[in-house]
Structure formats: structure tokens, C-alpha cells
Amino acid sequence: ADMFTKLEMSNEQISTFTAAMNRFKTKQANTPSGEMLGSIESERTRQLEEILSSGQYAKYEEWLANNQ
């Protein structure tokens, strides 16, 4: 939630992102080699790249660097 605030994400962006992450976690849990799909972090980055504006994505990269 702190990330959503920092990135100034709209409610629509937040719900799109949350739904995509839930689908990914379900798919990962139901796939025998779920780890092969990648990590939660890599999926989060991939989803945010599609959802965020370039300015928001730059803020995300900054947020990520400060929250590792």
C-alpha cells in the first residue's frame, strides 16, 4: 500500500495490478514447477511496467532501490 501511495497509482491501476498478481500467485501455486514462472518480485515489475505511466515507473524503480 505504501508503494501505491508513493507511485500515485489510481484506483483502477491498483485493482488491475492486484488482480494480475493474484492470478500469478494462483497460477504459480497450481503449477508443479511454479518457480519456473519467475519470482513474485519479477512478476510485480513486469505488471507495473505495463500498468504505470513512464513517470510512475521511474518512481517505482526509485522506490524499489530504496526498499531492497
Side-chain angles (χ1 to χ4, degrees):
D2 178 46
M3 178 184 79
F4 298 151
T5 306
K6 287 259 190 297
L7 302 180
E8 299 168 14
M9 289 173 73
S10 69
N11 288 337
E12 188 179 333
Q13 287 175 317
I14 292 169
S15 64
T16 301
F17 172 73
T18 305
M21 291 307 292
N22 288 338
R23 276 194 307 274
F24 176 76
K25 289 175 186 170
T26 301
K27 185 176 175 184
Q28 193 178 43
N30 293 327
T31 305
S33 57
E35 309 81 51
M36 298 295 285
L37 297 171
S39 68
I40 296 290
E41 289 76 23
S42 67
E43 181 65 12
R44 178 180 65 199
T45 298
R46 198 176 71 75
Q47 290 297 335
L48 287 172
E49 242 178 320
E50 290 180 22
I51 297 168
L52 299 176
S53 68
S54 56
Q56 286 174 308
Y57 192 74
K59 286 182 187 174
Y60 167 68
E61 290 180 316
E62 189 179 300
W63 178 87
L64 201 57
N66 295 328
N67 290 281
Q68 291 280 324

